[in-house]
Amino acid sequence: MQWEVVIGLEIHAQLATKSKIFSAASTAYGAAPNSQACAVDLGLPGVLPVFNKEALRMAVKFGLANGCDITRRSVFARKNYFYPDLPKGYQISQMDHPIVAKGELEIELEDGSTKIIGITRAHLEEDAGKSLHEDFHGMTGIDLNRAGTPLLEIVSEPDMRSAKEAVAYMKKIHSLVQYLEICDGNMQEGSFRCDANVSIRPKGQQEYGTRAELKNINSFRFVERAINVEVERQIDVLEGGAKVVQETRLYDADKNETRSMRSKEEAFDYRYFPDPDLLPVEIDDAYIEAIRATLPELPDAKKMRFIDEYNLKAEDANTLTSDRGLADFFEAVVKTGGDTKLSANWVISELLGALNKGSMGLAESPVTAEMLGDMIKRIKDNTISGKIAKQVFAAMWEDEGDADAIIEAKGLKQVTDSGAIEKIVDEVLANNPAQVEQYRGGNEKILGFFVGQVMKASQGKANPGQVNQLLSAKLKD
Amino acid sequence: MHNKTIAELSQSLAQGAFSSVELTQAYLERIERFDGQINSYITVAADEALAAAKQADAQIKAGTAGILTGIPLAQKDIFCTNGIKTTCGSKMLDNFISPYDATVISHFKQAGAVMLGKTNMDEFAMGSSNETSFYGAVKNPWDLDAVPGGSSGGSAAVVAARLAPASTGTDTGGSIRQPAALCGITGLKPTYGRVSRYGMIAFASSLDQAGPMARTAEDCALMMNVMAGFDDKDSTSIAREVPDYSVTLNQSLAGLKIGLPKEYFAEGLDNDVAGAVQAAIEAYKKLGAKVVEISLPNTGLSVPAYYVVAPAECSSNLSRFDGVRFGYRCDNPKDLEDLYKRSRGEGFGAEVKRRIMVGAYVLSAGYYDAYYIKAQKARQLISQDFKRAFEKVDVIMGPTSPTVAFNLGEKIDDPITMYLSDAYTIATNLAGLPGLSVPCGFVGQRPVGLQIIGNYFDEARLLNVAHQYQQHTDWHARAPEAFR
């Protein structure tokens, strides 16, 4: 039997507001337990929520970036359930009237093809606190610092047909929320996480199979693995003649398996109803247009511009625009260094390589865009060769100064004096008579050997173009 | 001095006839002497009251006093008070000391008022007789066999028994007006959104509203000047200018159009109560008012709609009392479920549990549309009734409660009959309108209340209408014999 996989994602993006969605407490990560939970976050008797309008602005921004309908009158609802880290016994969320309604997003697959994924809705809600089960000797500790942190829950249509598509979609949203500066995207700290609804059906069948919801996955790699292992499980179940049951499952990354958390029968009845403590959120066109005016250039548009304006390959443009900071960095390098192709190569291979090696973020790079641009300028004006530039870059990475200072201090200036180069060329040819014979006998590939020898003798400083020219001329004599 | 109104006490304090400390001391002594009979206070904050009185005296001396500076008041135990126990009449909060003040409380503090203590009430404001309190029933000062009404039964009783010049109450379905009527005092439930709900422990958020309870409409006006206003901590409070409620008290009532809803004078209304209310209407005619019969055709929907909406909201509002962070926690829970079940099972009383269960039921999947949505529609119809009525009349009058105070124990085992005692007050909560009850007579020794309902934000008119009546009658000035 040929199975088709059907996946829908619910992504929770923590909005980057300074204070919580319904209180004035700080949302900063990593503070001492319960030090950032005020009376409202603790759900003390008598307290009331007050909506943080910054969260509204961010949600609307997200909706506009995806061409979604923006709800003019959205309503907060209470989702009722008991859990120790849910202080009020209900979560304030949105049910029937979410702030962001239908829209869509284009994802790009590995083979370069594209696909449209529908966005069903995105709604605002508050996060719960954290239950800490370790270190309390059989008891549970509650940290309510996170309680009341604003979340945007982005719900997709069941439009994805493989784990890879799901990851591509998740990455696209991840990049987008950072472009929009509405979420820091930090997956380790839980600022960006997702639930995956996974089902399978015989290929060609119209109706969906029974789905399982995989809860709280917080990395791209785990999303892919969790979906794949769940799909395998469902295939085994169905091919074994049994039925998939609707349930919530948890992905265990250590064992690479999914486990049942609760079945449909055990599912909570959340008893949603409009929150009487909060008025409906009413916004008008002027408000929406004012936010539209603040939208930055979005990844797809930026990518097209990079291809047109800088003449980049699609793949390079993709890489450079995957992150807004990286794209800005690249453009700053071009502005200083002038050469778009060199700039793209240096940013993608050298800079990203060095950052990856050091597990660093772009913000931590010791080499600024201006420094890299200045160095590229020196490649362009033949002060250094591309090869020497690697040494210069390594020195800049070690905080040894800017390109000019390093070139000066280390005497890396390229030799362009043709007399001096000629002298070395002559020496190399004289020292390698056998290879000269081979060349003249028709093995022209051996030219590279002579270039290498000359570069080595000049400690890499000879201008490679001149070396090539001189060698070719002399060997033809 | 315990028979003086706030207005009179304020004058005496300003003139130096006595100090706030002396006045406070006198009330504390009366509470000590009399409260054993009626059980109206849950907490008496003697030390804090005397300290506040001392401060007030300094202000009076310095000439920086306001009208309420140094005036002792009782606060319903539903308002959170920083450092002083706030129980909401429940075992659940018997150990709860709030770390913050409700907005109403801080407004009174800023005005220099002195808090004598926290008054008894039905548990979580759920009740019409003050018999559901964990701290025991309150007795009606006019007749110790009778209930004081509820849920603000303690607040009404302290004023009637002269154990405080005035108090605060909260009104979700009649909880200020009904006990005011049953105890022969004046009580105002303002327009929804007029007084901040921040720090007032929620029963049904879309209906709850705090208001003053005092002997006179004038005192209610003085308290409203302090209580009313927008609060950025309460999203449902309304940013609208607060008038000085005392300046319009003496306006003439000539030409005032009073509507009498025929539904409020129909079956279920006690004849003697009807008689007292009719006599009050006659008095208004003499003051120049015109009376027209009107109809509020959806009145019959109000009790059923209320007993869907209020329990629905309370079932969610009371979820925070889970034994985890504050309040009552059962002994030795064996696991989380046991902790929840026993903490809530042991911490809440029967009426609260009944309403939580009804509320959870009406919100549950499959029943939500049939109950909650339908009740919201009924609410719309009730609001429209009032809207049409106020196109024709300035105020609506009728009985506050269908009967005078009933006997202790008489209705406590019959919730439906108990619920019907709020039949005339509930509709205004569902519509969000202001309503006021003034004493207008007695049946035997038990007082009767006249209810006056106004249009949105028309509290000044209600107080004016009540004040003019009190200028020509003395029902409000009478005191129960045992507490004179």
Side-chain angles (χ1 to χ4, degrees):
Chain A
M1 171 91 68
Q2 276 273 71
W3 296 101
E4 182 174 51
V5 178
V6 176
I7 303 159
L9 293 187
E10 292 167 16
I11 292 176
H12 290 87
Q14 232 174 53
L15 296 177
T17 56
K18 287 197 180 70
S19 58
K20 293 186 178 177
I21 185 166
F22 299 118
S23 84
S26 166
T27 54
Y29 180 82
N34 298 308
S35 63
Q36 287 179 177
C38 68
V40 174
D41 306 324
L42 292 171
L44 286 184
V47 298
L48 295 170
V50 176
F51 181 37
N52 180 349
K53 291 287 157 51
E54 192 59 12
L56 174 67
R57 191 184 64 79
M58 290 180 173
V60 170
K61 214 169 164 187
F62 175 83
L64 292 175
N66 291 299
C68 295
D69 297 330
I70 305 298
T71 310
R72 299 304 196 270
R73 188 173 189 275
S74 58
V75 176
F76 284 108
R78 292 185 184 178
K79 179 179 180 179
N80 295 283
Y81 66 95
F82 286 101
Y83 205 69
D85 60 24
L86 187 71
K88 299 186 294 295
Y90 59 84
Q91 177 193 30
I92 305 176
S93 180
Q94 297 185 313
M95 183 61 180
D96 290 336
H97 307 280
I99 177 68
V100 175
K102 266 195 173 328
E104 57 186 36
L105 186 76
E106 187 181 83
I107 60 167
E108 193 165 324
L109 305 174
E110 276 175 347
D111 64 5
S113 65
T114 58
K115 181 172 179 177
I116 301 287
I117 305 295
I119 292 173
T120 314
R121 58 186 280 163
H123 63 257
L124 285 164
E125 61 185 24
E126 58 179 344
D127 208 344
K130 274 183 193 159
S131 293
L132 307 162
H133 301 290
E134 287 147 26
D135 308 331
F136 293 97
H137 314 288
M139 296 196 292
T140 298
I142 307 291
D143 178 4
L144 294 176
N145 283 353
R146 199 180 66 182
T149 299
L151 296 178
L152 186 66
E153 179 173 333
I154 304 154
V155 182
S156 83
E157 290 291 306
D159 286 347
M160 288 152 275
R161 294 291 173 265
S162 69
K164 287 223 183 312
E165 287 185 15
V167 171
Y169 168 81
M170 193 176 170
K171 281 188 170 162
K172 186 81 184 251
I173 299 269
H174 186 246
S175 155
L176 191 68
V177 294
Q178 292 177 81
Y179 257 80
L180 297 170
E181 293 176 321
I182 61 172
C183 173
D184 67 15
N186 190 323
M187 295 171 86
Q188 272 98 47
E189 292 176 5
S191 303
F192 192 86
R193 52 191 199 259
C194 92
D195 302 339
N197 286 302
V198 180
S199 66
I200 59 171
R201 62 182 171 189
K203 218 166 182 127
Q205 181 180 302
Q206 278 301 304
E207 60 269 35
Y208 295 123
T210 305
R211 67 190 156 83
E213 183 179 8
L214 307 178
K215 276 285 188 200
N216 250 331
I217 321 174
N218 67 349
S219 87
F220 298 123
R221 197 158 55 99
F222 287 170
V223 166
E224 184 165 353
R225 287 169 57 185
I227 290 171
N228 283 334
V229 69
E230 174 60 17
V231 166
E232 278 169 37
R233 186 191 70 85
Q234 291 188 13
I235 291 174
D236 285 348
V237 168
L238 290 177
E239 294 189 342
K243 279 184 174 165
V244 172
V245 290
Q246 188 176 329
E247 61 185 350
T248 305
R249 298 182 70 87
L250 199 69
Y251 174 66
D252 182 333
D254 295 331
K255 295 186 179 152
N256 193 34
E257 63 176 29
T258 65
R259 275 201 298 278
S260 181
M261 266 173 83
R262 54 176 180 266
S263 71
K264 191 185 172 189
E265 287 70 35
E266 298 167 299
F268 300 122
D269 178 353
Y270 291 120
R271 290 173 282 123
Y272 278 100
F273 74 106
D275 191 332
D277 287 332
L278 290 159
L279 301 175
V281 181
E282 295 187 347
I283 53 177
D284 57 17
D285 291 348
Y287 176 84
I288 292 171
E289 290 317 310
I291 291 175
R292 199 192 300 280
T294 69
L295 282 181
E297 184 182 30
L298 296 175
D300 289 345
K302 202 183 274 285
K303 180 182 144 190
M304 292 317 291
R305 181 169 65 80
F306 276 23
I307 291 172
D308 287 351
E309 192 177 326
Y310 301 127
N311 215 2
L312 299 182
K313 283 186 293 189
E315 194 192 330
D316 289 351
N318 238 351
T319 308
L320 290 171
T321 56
S322 64
D323 176 85
R324 185 171 166 185
L326 185 65
D328 292 346
F329 190 98
F330 165 74
E331 294 206 274
V333 173
V334 171
K335 204 174 156 203
T336 316
D339 190 303
T340 61
K341 210 166 159 99
L342 272 177
S343 298
N345 287 343
W346 274 90
V347 170
I348 292 168
S349 47
E350 299 304 321
L351 180 84
L352 287 184
L355 288 172
N356 277 340
K357 212 169 137 192
S359 302
M360 294 154 79
L362 187 61
E364 300 159 88
S365 170
V367 177
T368 65
E370 286 66 33
M371 287 164 75
L372 187 55
D374 282 337
M375 191 195 83
I376 285 168
K377 224 163 32 188
R378 294 295 163 252
I379 302 175
K380 283 282 283 181
D381 67 11
N382 284 327
T383 307
I384 53 173
S385 66
K387 202 164 175 189
I388 288 292
K390 292 193 182 184
Q391 276 185 53
V392 175
F393 183 83
M396 291 198 298
W397 197 261
E398 296 303 325
D399 285 327
E400 291 175 29
D402 63 18
D404 285 344
I406 291 165
I407 292 167
E408 183 64 37
K410 299 203 168 197
L412 297 177
K413 207 166 172 165
Q414 190 160 243
V415 178
T416 49
D417 171 359
S418 47
I421 297 173
E422 194 171 357
K423 206 174 138 210
I424 300 170
V425 167
D426 287 343
E427 274 170 30
V428 167
L429 293 179
N431 291 340
N432 298 288
Q435 284 81 354
V436 172
E437 276 314 302
Q438 279 180 37
Y439 184 90
R440 288 184 174 147
N443 183 7
E444 293 195 359
K445 281 187 200 149
I446 208 164
L447 181 68
F449 165 77
F450 296 113
V451 174
Q453 291 298 310
V454 174
M455 293 310 287
K456 196 174 161 190
S458 74
Q459 290 164 310
K461 287 186 283 187
N463 179 299
Q466 283 174 290
V467 172
N468 260 306
Q469 224 173 16
L470 276 167
L471 275 171
S472 306
K474 286 191 184 269
L475 284 165
K476 283 198 176 107
D477 286 348
Chain B
M1 53 185 111
H2 61 266
N3 279 313
K4 288 182 190 277
T5 64
I6 292 178
E8 291 160 353
L9 289 172
S10 187
Q11 244 176 2
S12 301
L13 287 173
Q15 289 161 354
F18 42 79
S19 70
S20 174
V21 169
E22 286 165 337
L23 178 62
T24 302
Q25 194 66 59
Y27 271 107
L28 290 171
E29 279 162 18
R30 280 187 65 81
I31 293 166
E32 180 76 34
R33 192 170 137 211
F34 290 108
D35 198 38
Q37 295 178 52
I38 59 169
N39 192 31
S40 61
Y41 279 94
I42 290 173
T43 301
V44 177
D47 294 345
E48 292 87 347
L50 288 169
K54 211 169 152 189
Q55 268 193 340
D57 282 332
Q59 276 185 293
I60 293 166
K61 220 173 197 172
T64 57
I67 289 187
L68 290 189
T69 307
I71 303 293
L73 295 174
Q75 303 288 354
K76 187 176 182 180
D77 206 17
I78 199 169
F79 294 102
C80 285
T81 44
N82 193 353
I84 295 172
K85 193 163 86 160
T86 300
T87 70
C88 222
S90 182
K91 179 181 180 185
M92 185 58 90
L93 290 177
D94 187 43
N95 64 0
F96 179 66
I97 294 178
S98 170
Y100 75 102
D101 276 329
T103 298
V104 163
I105 298 293
S106 47
H107 281 343
F108 278 120
K109 273 190 183 170
Q110 277 157 24
V114 171
M115 185 178 86
L116 291 168
K118 310 286 293 286
T119 60
N120 203 342
M121 56 181 283
D122 278 301
E123 185 180 10
F124 284 102
M126 298 176 201
S128 307
S129 66
N130 215 117
E131 292 169 289
T132 71
S133 170
F134 172 65
Y135 300 92
V138 175
K139 291 177 185 167
N140 192 318
W142 291 93
D143 182 341
L144 297 180
D145 293 331
V147 301
S151 68
S152 312
S155 289
V158 294
V159 178
R162 274 63 178 160
L163 303 187
S167 62
T168 54
T170 61
D171 190 317
T172 306
S175 282
I176 287 175
R177 292 160 289 161
Q178 185 255 19
L182 270 46
C183 288
I185 66 160
T186 309
L188 169 67
K189 174 210 119 51
T191 307
Y192 183 78
R194 179 81 286 190
V195 175
S196 169
R197 293 188 297 116
Y198 188 78
M200 184 179 123
I201 299 175
F203 160 17
S205 313
S206 74
L207 303 163
D208 296 342
Q209 184 61 208
M213 301 176 81
R215 285 210 290 283
T216 63
E218 182 183 23
D219 283 1
C220 286
L222 296 174
M223 288 171 77
M224 275 298 283
N225 283 345
V226 168
M227 294 174 80
F230 174 69
D231 179 7
D232 60 14
K233 294 199 195 83
D234 174 4
S235 310
T236 61
S237 82
I238 293 168
R240 186 183 163 118
E241 210 185 324
V242 179
D244 180 341
Y245 293 103
S246 56
V247 300
T248 44
L249 290 171
N250 287 314
Q251 281 179 3
S252 158
L253 300 188
L256 178 80
K257 277 183 271 176
I258 298 172
L260 301 182
K262 60 179 186 203
E263 293 81 3
Y264 286 23
F265 294 89
E267 202 196 322
L269 176 62
D270 178 272
N271 278 335
D272 294 332
V273 170
V277 170
Q278 289 296 355
I281 307 287
E282 290 307 313
Y284 274 109
K285 283 185 186 165
K286 284 193 190 129
L287 293 173
K290 293 189 169 55
V291 176
V292 289
E293 188 185 271
I294 56 164
S295 176
L296 299 170
N298 293 295
T299 297
L301 295 179
S302 54
V303 171
Y306 176 86
Y307 279 99
V308 170
V309 174
E313 293 182 10
C314 100
S315 73
S316 176
N317 283 334
L318 269 59
S319 292
R320 69 190 61 198
F321 305 106
D322 58 5
V324 174
R325 295 166 315 285
F326 47 74
Y328 179 77
R329 176 185 285 198
C330 66
D331 287 332
N332 305 313
K334 65 175 196 288
D335 57 24
L336 181 61
E337 195 171 317
D338 188 43
L339 169 75
Y340 285 151
K341 283 183 174 164
R342 284 202 289 126
S343 297
R344 289 169 66 78
E346 294 163 16
F348 288 138
E351 182 62 25
V352 170
K353 281 188 263 195
R354 174 164 29 240
R355 297 199 195 187
I356 289 174
M357 286 168 67
V358 169
Y361 178 80
V362 300
L363 289 176
S364 60
Y367 297 97
Y368 180 77
D369 289 354
Y371 291 103
Y372 187 80
I373 295 292
K374 196 169 263 182
Q376 294 297 349
K377 286 178 184 159
R379 212 172 161 172
Q380 291 297 320
L381 293 175
I382 290 161
S383 298
Q384 283 162 17
D385 280 359
F386 281 111
K387 188 165 180 267
R388 277 189 214 108
F390 283 116
E391 284 163 7
K392 285 180 261 170
V393 300
D394 300 316
V395 294
I396 293 169
M397 286 188 190
T400 304
S401 180
T403 64
V404 291
F406 42 92
N407 287 335
L408 285 153
E410 187 181 325
K411 296 183 181 177
I412 192 67
D413 295 321
D414 183 359
I416 303 294
T417 312
M418 182 79 88
Y419 295 171
L420 286 172
S421 71
D422 291 328
Y424 305 138
T425 47
I426 277 175
T428 52
N429 296 81
L430 290 168
L433 292 165
L436 177 150
S437 181
V438 282
C440 69
F442 288 84
V443 176
Q445 48 183 338
R446 301 186 186 183
V448 177
L450 168 74
Q451 183 177 210
I452 313 171
I453 300 167
N455 211 339
Y456 297 104
F457 296 100
D458 226 358
E459 289 84 0
R461 193 202 297 263
L462 292 185
L463 292 162
N464 163 229
V465 170
H467 180 71
Q468 288 306 303
Y469 178 73
Q470 292 180 335
Q471 296 304 295
H472 296 86
T473 55
D474 72 346
W475 304 113
H476 63 283
R478 301 195 187 179
E481 195 139 355
F483 299 92
R484 273 179 198 151

